[in-house]
Amino acid sequence: MANIDIAKRVYDHTFKMDPIVRSLLDTDVYKLLMLQTILQEWRDLPVTFSLINRSKTVKLADEIDEAELREQLEHARTIRLSKKESIWLAGNTFYGKERLFTAEFIQWLKDYQLPEFELAKRDGQYIIDIHGTWAEASLWEIPLLTIISELRSRSAMRGMGRFEVDVTYARAKAKMWEKVLRLKKLPNLRIADFGTRRRHSFLWQRWCVDALKEGLDQNFVGTSNVLLAMDHDLEAIGTNAHELPMAVATLATDDEGIAASPYKVLESWQKTYDSNLLIVLPDTYGTTRFLQNAPDWVADWKGFRIDSKDPIEGGEEIIAWWQKMGVDPKDKLIIFSDGLDIETIESTYHHFEGRVRTSFGWGTNLTNDFRECAPYANERLKAFSVVVKITSANGKPTVKLSDNLAKATGPESEVNRYLKVFGREHLTKTEVHV
């Protein structure tokens, strides 16, 4: 399987249906880690998850066949956790800990099925919503995104000839390997694959992981994809996401409760996890305000993940906060993960080398960088910005502000309310590409 001819597989498409989602573990590990906490704390909270295409010029309903989309979504609902997968989850070591996933959690996952979805079209876009309890609906995020992304890639390549497909993949491989050669020059680099959500395809993500594993050796620390981690004997890398504070904020009865919600999430997280899993994601409602009001005990956590702020600006802000709290930044970790590509990784690495421990989560520009790879211009092969977000919880709309307001989600009236609670003076608005 590792030596499969991707170009031939893509060109032939002789399968009645070539499944995009192959396993419940074809997801990011942070979804499973969050789910274990959700099951313990808020399992029955009613929620809605929705597809949000931030690239408005990309008309998904014009590019992806609806029948094919429905077929892939329905197939994902037939998948169950296999015996091999449940044994691996129970016996594998995650972040240096055995039995990180409890027997109760694994038994729940054995019986799990992705819930029903609602699909409609509007103005050239697909409207896809999932309703259910938080525990039921949460796992749809990653398979929904991978199905949308890969169906778009398949559609873009469907009219290509055999040699055109072959040349496209040859150029993409060469482009990817050139990036690996540049990364090899960074001796203390720690980098992981975070590219599941908006990958070109499952087979391409697997090729990229193989390339990183061979090219970077110990500097490649793992993948966020649980299935690939299992199949390639890699570390499964990831902690938590914006979903947690977005939902928990809806449980607040007043603005003061909303302001406290990011810290309430961390309190719940440390009931379940400790040590290497104590990574703060501070930007749901703005990193600067988060740090201004953070309890002292947050400084004891292992590190932070910067997801929507300029990496150097965000890193400097967190280092200054640690120093203010009397903590040596050299003992801490900063993970960079927002739209990274080779130039950003190199400049950020050199800026912080020797001052703080760093790690990089390389996403869309790792697993879906086909820019200028096709022999003829093909705009549909370019990655675009699509997400699946929790859009309501507890009967209320959810809000994400982000350090970059171009990533904000929620009804305008609610976004404005949250801006009053958290302030907007430290937030920016910059175009989002991936």
Side-chain angles (χ1 to χ4, degrees):
M1 286 292 285
N3 295 318
I4 191 168
D5 186 338
I6 299 176
K8 185 178 188 305
R9 173 79 168 266
V10 170
Y11 180 74
D12 286 348
H13 277 299
T14 54
F15 307 85
K16 181 177 184 295
M17 188 190 75
D18 193 3
I20 291 172
V21 180
R22 295 158 168 76
S23 163
L24 277 180
L25 297 190
D26 185 13
T27 191
D28 284 334
V29 71
Y30 76 83
K31 296 300 299 187
L32 299 184
L33 293 168
M34 291 196 303
L35 180 57
Q36 187 161 240
T37 293
I38 290 166
L39 282 165
Q40 293 175 5
E41 301 269 344
W42 311 283
R43 74 162 63 198
D44 295 322
L45 187 72
V47 302
T48 300
F49 281 78
S50 304
L51 180 74
I52 300 172
N53 180 7
R54 297 190 294 216
S55 300
K56 301 303 182 185
T57 59
V58 175
K59 302 294 185 181
L60 290 172
D62 296 338
E63 297 186 18
I64 297 172
D65 178 74
E66 182 177 349
E68 197 173 1
L69 174 58
R70 287 186 181 275
E71 188 176 33
Q72 293 287 349
L73 294 172
E74 290 291 357
H75 172 76
R77 297 194 64 240
T78 68
I79 297 171
R80 301 292 185 276
L81 192 72
S82 72
K83 182 177 181 180
K84 172 189 172 182
E85 291 167 343
S86 63
I87 292 171
W88 181 81
L89 279 178
N92 190 55
T93 298
F94 296 88
Y95 284 90
K97 288 194 172 292
E98 297 179 354
R99 299 183 182 86
L100 185 65
F101 295 108
T102 66
E104 293 77 13
F105 173 78
I106 294 172
Q107 183 57 53
W108 185 91
L109 203 59
K110 285 181 182 178
D111 299 329
Y112 177 76
Q113 175 186 14
L114 289 168
E116 294 182 359
F117 57 89
E118 295 179 359
L119 188 155
K121 291 181 181 179
R122 185 186 308 146
D123 301 326
Q125 301 293 352
Y126 282 116
I127 310 301
I128 304 178
D129 295 310
I130 295 98
H131 306 284
T133 67
W134 196 358
E136 293 170 341
S138 180
L139 285 186
W140 251 123
E141 177 187 355
I142 306 301
L144 176 50
L145 286 171
T146 60
I147 287 169
I148 290 290
S149 292
E150 184 160 347
L151 284 181
R152 184 170 186 254
S153 298
R154 291 184 183 186
S155 173
M157 303 187 80
R158 192 159 284 146
M160 290 184 174
R162 174 71 177 88
F163 284 94
E164 189 177 357
V165 172
D166 206 28
V167 168
T168 299
Y169 278 106
R171 288 177 173 175
K173 288 178 178 181
K175 186 178 185 179
M176 164 62 185
W177 192 249
E178 286 298 319
K179 294 180 182 182
V180 171
L181 293 179
R182 286 173 64 173
L183 293 176
K184 282 175 69 72
K185 297 177 182 178
L186 309 178
N188 299 313
L189 178 72
R190 291 172 52 86
I191 193 165
D193 157 43
F194 275 19
T196 300
R197 298 188 305 158
R198 290 188 285 267
R199 66 194 182 196
H200 171 82
S201 70
F202 173 79
L203 294 177
W204 182 247
Q205 183 183 15
R206 188 172 65 183
W207 188 92
C208 291
V209 166
D210 282 335
L212 288 171
K213 187 176 181 180
E214 178 177 319
L216 297 183
D217 196 26
Q218 297 302 311
N219 295 80
F220 178 53
V221 297
T223 173
S224 63
N225 188 289
V226 186
L227 180 62
L228 291 175
M230 180 180 73
D231 289 346
H232 290 69
D233 193 25
L234 293 167
E235 290 290 332
I237 305 292
T239 52
N240 53 69
H242 304 104
E243 173 184 339
L244 291 177
M246 289 172 70
V248 172
T250 67
L251 301 175
T253 57
D254 53 28
D255 289 353
E256 185 176 321
I258 291 175
S261 61
Y263 314 114
K264 181 177 176 59
V265 166
L266 300 187
E267 290 174 353
S268 295
W269 187 260
Q270 63 186 2
K271 292 178 186 176
T272 312
Y273 306 112
D274 58 16
S275 188
N276 291 330
L277 280 166
L278 296 182
I279 301 294
V280 182
L281 179 63
D283 72 314
T284 306
Y285 304 120
T287 297
T288 299
R289 184 57 63 89
F290 177 94
L291 294 174
Q292 287 174 351
N293 298 319
D296 290 351
W297 51 263
V298 174
D300 296 329
W301 279 39
K302 181 182 179 69
F304 283 78
R305 177 162 73 90
I306 297 176
D307 189 61
S308 60
K309 203 161 196 167
D310 174 84
I312 291 177
E313 178 187 349
E316 290 291 353
E317 186 173 19
I318 289 168
I319 285 174
W321 182 78
W322 275 323
Q323 291 171 334
K324 176 185 172 183
M325 302 300 292
V327 172
D328 186 352
K330 291 182 180 180
D331 297 330
K332 297 296 183 178
L333 173 68
I334 300 179
I335 301 171
F336 301 94
S337 63
D338 181 32
L340 299 180
D341 207 359
I342 186 69
E343 292 80 11
T344 310
I345 295 170
E346 288 173 332
S347 61
T348 305
Y349 170 92
H350 289 302
H351 183 87
F352 291 108
E353 175 68 357
R355 300 175 58 206
V356 64
R357 295 168 58 207
T358 59
S359 186
F360 297 85
W362 197 6
T364 308
N365 288 321
L366 165 66
T367 60
N368 200 353
D369 186 6
F370 280 70
R371 291 168 291 182
E372 301 176 356
C373 290
Y376 305 101
N378 191 334
E379 290 296 311
R380 290 188 297 156
L381 274 177
K382 288 184 178 179
F384 69 114
S385 186
V386 61
V387 293
V388 170
K389 291 294 182 185
I390 187 168
T391 50
S392 75
N394 195 34
K396 302 175 184 177
T398 58
V399 171
K400 177 192 172 192
L401 296 180
S402 175
D403 286 317
N404 179 5
L405 283 172
K407 290 185 171 185
T409 62
E412 184 178 0
S413 60
E414 286 298 296
V415 169
N416 288 333
R417 179 190 178 190
Y418 278 61
L419 285 170
K420 290 180 180 177
V421 173
F422 292 100
R424 67 185 307 153
E425 60 274 13
H426 300 292
L427 308 180
T428 61
K429 193 167 188 178
T430 307
E431 185 179 359
V432 178
H433 298 285
V434 294

